[in-house]
Amino acid sequence: MAQIKSQIKRIGTNEKARQRNVAVRSRIATESKKVRIAVEKGDAKAALEALKVATRLLDKSVTSGVYARNTAARKKASLQKLVNGLAK
């Protein structure tokens, strides 16, 4: 266990950031799953709405540092590809 005051504070802030990151990743996974479910059902309107929410969350996660820029871009592209395939 750390004994230095500043290190104790760092441990606390790291834990808060970790919990926030876990929550954000979980929310993104949930919204991505909604897109996939809508695509499986063939519901284009619901898929587009879910895609819009997931894309917004991914963009926000990049600005807050949860995901790297290319990781978020890859996830958005894969979801967009599913929805585009549904439109054809």
Side-chain angles (χ1 to χ4, degrees), residues 25 58 61-62 66-78:
R25 284 189 174 122
L58 282 164
S61 72
V62 170
V66 176
Y67 278 124
R69 185 174 39 118
N70 287 345
T71 303
R74 185 180 67 243
K75 289 178 181 289
K76 288 193 305 187
S78 68

Side-chain angles (χ1 to χ4, degrees), residues 13-33:
T13 57
N14 286 344
E15 181 61 21
K16 284 181 189 176
R18 187 188 71 79
Q19 288 176 353
R20 184 182 62 243
N21 292 346
V22 167
V24 169
R25 284 189 174 122
S26 175
R27 176 94 193 277
I28 289 171
T30 301
E31 296 302 328
S32 298
K33 187 175 179 182

Side-chain angles (χ1 to χ4, degrees), residues 20-82:
R20 184 182 62 243
N21 292 346
V22 167
V24 169
R25 284 189 174 122
S26 175
R27 176 94 193 277
I28 289 171
T30 301
E31 296 302 328
S32 298
K33 187 175 179 182
K34 288 180 184 178
V35 173
R36 289 188 177 90
I37 289 171
V39 168
E40 285 177 9
K41 289 182 179 179
D43 189 357
K45 187 176 179 182
L48 280 173
E49 289 299 317
L51 177 67
K52 194 182 294 185
V53 172
T55 301
R56 185 168 181 271
L57 286 172
L58 282 164
D59 288 338
K60 285 176 70 174
S61 72
V62 170
T63 59
S64 64
V66 176
Y67 278 124
R69 185 174 39 118
N70 287 345
T71 303
R74 185 180 67 243
K75 289 178 181 289
K76 288 193 305 187
S78 68
L79 292 174
Q80 185 69 52
K81 194 173 183 181
L82 287 173

